[in-house]
Amino acid sequence: MFNKILIANRGEIAVRIIRACRELGIQTVAVYSDIDRNALHVDLADQAVCIGPARARESYLHTENIISATVLTGAEAIHPGFGFLAENSKFAEMCRECRITFIGPDPEVLEMMGNKAKARQMMIKAGVTVVPGADGVLEDFDQALRAAEQIGYPVMLKASAGGGGRGIRIVGSAEELKKAYETARNEAKAAFNDDSMYMEKYLEEPRHIEFQILADHHGKVIHLGERDCSIQRRNQKVIEEAPSTILTPELRKKMGEAAVRAAKAVGYKNAGTVEFLVDKSGSFYFMEMNTRIQVEHPVTELVTRIDLVQEQIKIASGQELAIEQEDIQIKGHALECRINAESPTLGFRPSPGKANILLWPGGNGVRLDSALYNGYEIPPTYDSMLAKLITHGRDRTEALNKMRRALDEFIIEGIDTNIEFLFQILDNDKFIKGEIDTSFIAKEFNLR
Ligand code: MV4
């Protein structure tokens, strides 16, 4: 096992990783930017190293500075968290060259899964059902046109280098295709310096259901069930839950097996997520694989009682997975609400500033993952997620009631938050009935 781990991240997830390390008896090194000198992760870690100015490019994304901090402090491994360098194959490669363990999959796998068109090809080869569409990247407009005719409109153009909703376009007809193809390519070129595109049939109002997997370095892969992440706004998840209200045990088994097959096909190691779209008939299609620990991992932790971050560290140290697929039993129901410093009445614009916490939620079945403390000055520089409130009940209704109760207790002054907006979702009849899909917020709240 490692003696010391450097956490290449900030905020709530840095705190989450430090906590896991503590419980495993591992020393921690925090890194921070100038503007984060008073951040909680800096205080909680055993050591902290400043890695540059506020701008992420010059600090949390600055690979040389992070590697230097690791060598300087004698940390043997880096946990990248999510965002920043978590899915950066070049960074994982640098770690390898410097003999530092990157807590995550191999650089080759990061590279492969980062290219969404390649990932799709790999899944076809592995026998995992993908969304109907064209094989491989589109060579030119004529090929795109022929592909769309064959697939049938509406189609979706996706950037190979995109993912998570970036660089995608819905195309309703052949007339729209020319312009959509050109602008999507230009956008992808500007955003990712890679304009290769692929095409899928556009599925209407699908559910976003993802499977958590764990894979050790000895060929063992298991899945830990699903999370339903259909409640999103502009490709940002807002509420996640486990289990999904639409999965039968049979469908869960089939999708879980597909997720495990996907991971095995690419030689996946560590924790990962296989994202599927599920249509009204219950057919499911591979969409993307996320090669990191995810924001919403706590809902899986609550229904499986497995500490995913501890498992990541144990796997990276070379230990064999001590959990069998048969040991995984989904118990009860968990919900997660992302609490953001933002103003829903002002188009959800970020609301940085000094937070005055009058009351923290707590009690039976309530978990709060946050890097917030009273008097903390939320910087305008990074994302606006303040806290994740997660509840666990014996069933969905109990988890929902606990969430309402816990949200009601949470009193933050000094900044705007989305807490009221979360209440409105939780009180929506369709949400209560579990009748959700990826266009829920757009439809129910006239938002886009
Ligand atoms: C789709 C889709 C429908 N059909 N692909 C958006 C996020 C990115 N991971 C892919 N996304 C979608 N891909 C096909 N072929 C609908 C979406 C989508 C979506 C997916 C998951 C959660 C929320 C979403 C909101 C809008 C669109």
Side-chain angles (χ1 to χ4, degrees):
M1 184 43 82
F2 309 111
N3 291 305
K4 197 187 269 191
I5 294 176
L6 180 137
I7 296 107
N9 216 302
R10 65 179 303 280
E12 166 279 315
I13 192 62
V15 169
R16 169 73 189 87
I17 298 162
I18 292 167
R19 285 172 172 160
C21 290
R22 268 280 142 79
E23 290 163 16
L24 291 170
I26 300 167
Q27 297 277 304
T28 52
V29 182
V31 293
Y32 63 98
S33 69
D34 286 337
I35 207 169
D36 272 347
R37 61 178 70 257
N38 296 317
L40 186 61
H41 74 286
V42 175
D43 212 48
L44 287 184
D46 297 298
Q47 278 175 282
V49 181
C50 182
I51 48 164
R55 226 188 321 203
R57 202 167 286 290
E58 298 172 51
S59 49
Y60 297 107
L61 288 171
H62 199 296
T63 53
E64 288 87 354
N65 289 3
I66 290 169
I67 297 276
S68 300
T70 311
V71 173
L72 211 71
T73 54
E76 305 129 278
I78 296 178
H79 197 308
F82 46 66
F84 297 124
L85 298 168
E87 298 179 272
N88 186 317
S89 62
K90 294 213 174 71
F91 179 64
E93 185 64 51
M94 276 174 83
C95 289
R96 181 191 272 168
E97 279 166 16
C98 298
R99 302 185 191 289
I100 297 163
T101 303
F102 176 84
I103 302 177
D106 292 336
E108 295 77 14
V109 175
L110 292 175
E111 160 95 50
M112 163 98 59
M113 292 294 117
N115 183 319
K116 307 302 168 185
K118 265 194 216 164
R120 183 179 149 87
Q121 281 304 107
M122 278 301 291
M123 292 310 136
I124 295 170
K125 254 177 55 190
V128 177
T129 313
V130 299
V131 185
D135 279 10
V137 299
L138 304 164
E139 294 301 335
D140 53 32
F141 175 71
D142 278 349
Q143 201 190 339
L145 190 63
R146 285 197 304 274
E149 297 294 329
Q150 214 188 13
I151 297 162
Y153 291 95
V155 296
M156 212 163 198
L157 276 172
K158 298 188 175 186
S160 306
R166 297 176 313 151
I168 59 175
R169 271 253 173 343
I170 305 167
V171 186
S173 65
E175 293 70 54
E176 289 171 37
L177 187 63
K178 180 81 187 172
K179 192 163 159 247
Y181 181 74
E182 295 303 333
T183 55
R185 271 173 58 110
N186 287 333
E187 273 178 29
K189 183 79 194 166
F192 319 114
N193 195 31
D194 175 356
D195 62 5
S196 65
M197 307 292 296
Y198 65 108
M199 189 185 282
E200 290 175 353
K201 172 82 186 163
Y202 176 61
L203 303 178
E204 316 254 359
E205 305 181 348
R207 289 178 73 128
H208 173 128
I209 293 179
E210 56 185 35
F211 272 71
Q212 178 69 53
I213 61 118
L214 284 175
D216 70 12
H217 293 199
H218 310 276
K220 184 162 163 188
V221 186
I222 61 168
H223 76 83
L224 287 81
E226 80 282 6
R227 295 182 287 261
D228 194 321
C229 306
S230 299
I231 305 292
Q232 310 204 359
R233 194 187 74 85
R234 297 194 173 207
N235 294 308
Q236 288 287 339
K237 293 166 187 166
V238 179
I239 298 179
E240 304 96 347
E241 63 182 293
S244 169
T245 58
I246 56 156
L247 287 211
T248 59
E250 294 73 40
L251 188 51
R252 177 169 302 112
K253 185 159 185 288
K254 261 173 63 180
M255 291 179 75
E257 283 167 3
V260 167
R261 210 172 331 123
K264 282 187 173 160
V266 297
Y268 198 86
K269 289 175 199 150
N270 218 283
T273 299
V274 183
E275 294 185 349
F276 296 100
L277 290 174
V278 182
D279 69 16
K280 298 263 181 313
S281 73
S283 297
F284 63 91
Y285 309 95
F286 170 88
M287 184 165 59
E288 288 176 17
M289 180 154 192
N290 297 325
T291 51
R292 58 172 189 273
I293 190 77
Q294 288 191 273
V295 175
E296 58 271 26
H297 77 275
V299 298
T300 299
E301 295 189 320
L302 293 187
V303 297
T304 61
R305 289 141 296 166
I306 289 165
D307 188 311
L308 288 168
V309 178
Q310 287 194 11
E311 292 303 322
Q312 284 193 288
I313 295 167
K314 289 193 267 182
I315 288 169
S317 79
Q319 288 184 22
E320 277 179 46
L321 258 178
I323 315 157
E324 305 295 326
Q325 186 64 60
E326 300 75 58
D327 298 338
I328 303 295
Q329 294 223 18
I330 307 300
K331 194 158 178 155
H333 201 100
L335 283 165
E336 174 179 278
C337 283
R338 296 189 187 193
I339 296 166
N340 300 327
E342 63 188 14
S343 310
T345 53
L346 299 171
F348 294 88
R349 77 159 186 228
S351 176
K354 191 169 163 167
N356 188 13
I357 318 293
L358 298 186
L359 189 64
W360 298 102
N364 187 7
V366 175
R367 168 172 167 182
L368 186 68
D369 277 21
S370 179
L372 205 53
Y373 59 82
N374 196 30
Y376 176 60
E377 174 94 24
I378 298 141
T381 324
Y382 310 105
D383 80 346
S384 58
M385 193 171 74
L386 285 177
K388 305 185 305 204
L389 185 57
I390 313 113
T391 61
H392 185 231
R394 282 173 300 179
D395 55 27
R396 191 169 186 268
T397 305
E398 210 176 277
L400 244 165
N401 288 336
K402 279 186 198 290
M403 184 61 81
R404 285 202 196 86
R405 187 272 287 168
L407 279 174
D408 197 35
E409 287 176 0
F410 210 164
I411 307 176
I412 309 175
E413 287 186 345
I415 51 160
D416 290 339
T417 75
N418 62 336
I419 289 177
E420 277 303 315
F421 179 63
L422 290 165
F423 265 118
Q424 288 172 29
I425 299 173
L426 298 179
D427 285 337
N428 177 289
D429 284 340
K430 291 208 175 87
F431 181 82
I432 291 168
K433 284 190 249 172
E435 292 170 7
I436 53 176
D437 62 64
T438 51
S439 52
F440 174 87
I441 289 181
K443 280 185 303 201
E444 296 298 313
F445 294 88
N446 281 318
L447 290 171
R448 197 51 276 266

